[in-house]
Amino acid sequence: MTSDPTADDRTRCPWVGDDPDYLRYHDEEWGRPLHGDRPLFEKMALEGFQAGLSWITILRKRPRFREVFAGFDPAAVAGFGEDDIARLMADPGIIRNRAKIEATIGNARIVRDLAEGELDALMWSFAPAKRRPRPRTIAEIPAVTPESDAMSKALRKKGFRFVGPTTMYALMQSAGMVDDHVEGCWRAA
């Protein structure tokens, strides 16, 4: 059982604020190494849906996204067709953006056709070999890095969509490929 993160006096990264969903996400997920094709496909999809929106919007809708996208099982999502797109476009529990829905389905087809573990290996190959100095403030955290740009290019070359360099840097942060917890944050290693 998860304890109530609002009931402590820990210092956290400034972007967290006091929203309980953000607190839990920061404390339990953000920046922890995430491996596996399926979990990384989910991250890719959700980060793609987040483009142009706030992450808290996606975080609050994540349970419904998981329901309607078959738990982000790439093989299941790869089988979605026009009826599924219509169903998803009518679901107010998710972001109803046709281009993002179609990109998620198309990306699932690519993941399905990769060898097991290939997406994980590809994405993690862009994790910096050497950790940058810990950011002292949120202003020191980049939106794009050479690694996220290279990851974006490699994924687009394979046909993935909604995988721009800023989106991929957000994925790298959330999946623990980089550690951007600021100095003083209790999660800073």
Side-chain angles (χ1 to χ4, degrees), residues 59-170:
L59 196 57
R60 289 180 179 149
K61 291 178 177 281
R62 184 168 61 174
R64 184 65 183 154
F65 270 109
R66 286 175 170 164
E67 272 183 62
V68 300
F69 278 100
F72 288 100
D73 174 8
V77 177
F80 285 11
E82 283 303 319
D83 289 346
D84 296 294
I85 293 170
R87 170 182 58 84
L88 294 166
M89 288 295 295
D91 192 321
I94 66 166
I95 305 304
R96 295 177 287 180
N97 178 303
R98 187 176 186 90
K100 292 177 181 183
I101 290 168
E102 289 176 346
T104 300
I105 296 166
N107 290 349
R109 291 174 180 153
I110 297 167
V111 174
R112 175 198 61 198
D113 293 343
L114 295 174
E116 181 68 30
E118 189 175 346
L119 180 65
D120 183 290
L122 174 64
M123 294 181 112
W124 274 91
S125 75
F126 295 99
K130 184 179 173 189
R131 193 173 91 184
R132 292 190 321 268
R134 180 158 310 287
R136 290 172 296 182
T137 67
I138 200 164
E140 292 180 8
I141 299 173
V144 175
T145 63
E147 294 88 358
S148 72
D149 187 49
M151 179 190 284
S152 172
K153 287 177 182 171
L155 290 169
R156 285 190 305 222
K157 187 175 180 180
K158 288 192 171 291
F160 288 98
R161 294 182 295 163
F162 279 90
V163 293
T166 303
T167 300
M168 289 303 93
Y169 192 68

